[in-house]
Amino acid sequence: MGSCGQHASATPSEQALPVISVNGVTIKEEALANELQYHSNSNFDVVVQQAGQTLVIRQLLIEQAKQNGVDVTAENEEQAIQQLLADKVVYQEPSEEDCLRYFQNNREKFVTAPLLEVDHILLPAPADDEDAREVARQNAENILVQLSQDISDFAELAKKYSACPSKETGGSLGQISSGQTVPEFEQQLMQHGEGLVEQPLTSRYGFHVVNIARKVDGKQLDYNMVADKVKGYLVHRASRLAIQAYIHGLVEVAEIEGIDVGFAPELNIHL
């Protein structure tokens, strides 16, 4: 039951969608409504902008495919667009010198992942329960105070308080490298050196009291070990930038109504 003077905000499905047209062809409202599900943002206007821009670009590419003699049907639109791009988008593949220069300027990207031996105590709390998370955070900080006085109590405290099965082995997670734990925990973990981490680390599961018993930093890889990866990345980047430039040219001469089509420095194109 609504209270006096208050109005329920409209859900996305209830909000009016813009009427978008491309060179006189109107994008169907149901097509725009369906495209919304593939874009995520807390601001509904941003979602509409992203979805509308995707459909405008797609329509422009389909028009170009038809104009260039590609047989386009409802069943083969994706293949037609890919054929158009393959025929019309030209870019220069990186040379060996380009690849080597990129490697030399970005050596930090070509390092093996660190290897850590980690002990932890998990104080559980659901991600959407603020009260429970505050209690878990305070409990984690209390345990940290005890451990800062005597780290040898870690195994005992893990067995007493941790909600992780690792409590049976003193909280030991064994050796951890990249991709072996949830991303938000790993990202924080990799930033610390050996020893007791001074603040609790957070994850979707709750708060973690962490001791890094050992850390072996990643090693710099030689160019010959990553040459194919470097070239693949540079080819992909050159291709995407060329596609962006081609689409930008189509947008500049098109008659587009109902939405402004903008470009990021490197457009993330959804086709």
Side-chain angles (χ1 to χ4, degrees):
M1 181 180 296
S3 59
C4 181
Q6 293 182 330
H7 301 277
S9 59
T11 64
S13 61
E14 296 171 337
Q15 295 183 35
L17 297 176
V19 177
I20 302 172
S21 65
V22 183
N23 293 329
V25 176
T26 300
I27 302 294
K28 293 182 179 180
E29 184 175 358
E30 55 265 36
L32 179 55
N34 182 65
E35 180 66 27
L36 296 178
Q37 66 184 303
Y38 302 113
H39 304 269
S40 177
N41 194 287
S42 58
N43 186 330
F44 182 66
D45 290 337
V46 173
V47 174
V48 172
Q49 169 68 30
Q50 293 172 342
Q53 178 163 306
T54 296
L55 294 179
V56 165
I57 291 172
R58 189 174 186 87
Q59 177 61 29
L60 287 171
L61 292 173
I62 289 171
E63 286 182 3
Q64 283 299 303
K66 291 178 179 177
Q67 292 176 19
N68 283 274
V70 179
D71 182 25
V72 183
T73 66
E75 291 74 27
N76 78 339
E77 285 185 353
E78 181 64 31
Q79 293 88 338
I81 288 173
Q82 296 305 322
Q83 181 178 336
L84 171 72
L85 295 177
D87 292 342
K88 293 296 181 180
V89 176
V90 179
Y91 60 91
Q92 184 175 356
E93 288 206 7
S95 65
E96 182 67 15
E97 290 75 15
D98 294 330
C99 295
L100 183 57
R101 186 182 309 111
Y102 181 85
F103 172 78
Q104 291 173 338
N105 291 335
N106 297 274
R107 286 179 175 272
E108 71 282 357
K109 295 182 179 180
F110 303 101
V111 178
T112 60
L115 184 65
L116 297 84
E117 292 182 7
V118 178
D119 304 320
H120 88 140
I121 299 171
L122 170 61
L123 289 307
D128 58 354
D129 189 333
E130 293 184 6
D131 291 338
R133 290 188 74 83
E134 177 59 22
V135 170
R137 184 189 64 79
Q138 291 178 2
N139 289 339
E141 290 185 347
N142 290 337
I143 292 172
L144 274 171
V145 170
Q146 296 180 62
L147 290 174
S148 65
Q149 298 170 359
D150 190 352
I151 192 66
S152 65
D153 289 339
F154 200 102
E156 180 183 345
L157 293 174
K159 191 166 186 178
K160 183 175 182 179
Y161 293 111
S162 184
C164 178
S166 64
K167 69 181 182 179
E168 300 301 333
T169 56
S172 175
L173 294 175
Q175 293 185 339
I176 291 180
S177 189
S178 179
Q180 293 183 314
T181 184
V182 291
E184 69 273 16
F185 181 60
E186 176 185 303
Q187 184 178 9
Q188 298 168 80
L189 192 62
M190 294 298 179
Q191 296 174 4
H192 295 278
E194 293 181 356
L196 183 67
V197 178
E198 295 181 353
Q199 297 293 330
L201 303 186
T202 62
S203 77
R204 67 196 69 179
Y205 303 116
F207 286 80
H208 305 255
V209 175
V210 173
N211 180 55
I212 300 176
R214 183 167 176 261
K215 182 175 184 180
V216 179
D217 291 330
K219 296 182 179 180
Q220 178 69 57
L221 295 171
D222 294 333
Y223 174 68
N224 60 5
M225 300 175 68
V226 296
D228 289 344
K229 181 178 180 180
V230 172
K231 185 171 184 178
Y233 167 75
L234 292 181
V235 166
H236 177 74
R237 186 176 70 174
S239 171
R240 299 301 286 179
L241 289 174
I243 292 173
Q244 175 177 328
Y246 178 71
I247 292 174
H248 200 300
L250 297 181
V251 169
E252 285 187 328
V253 299
E255 293 183 5
I256 301 170
E257 298 181 357
I259 193 172
D260 293 324
V261 178
F263 294 93
E266 287 196 39
L267 179 64
N268 185 18
I269 305 166
H270 300 276
L271 301 177

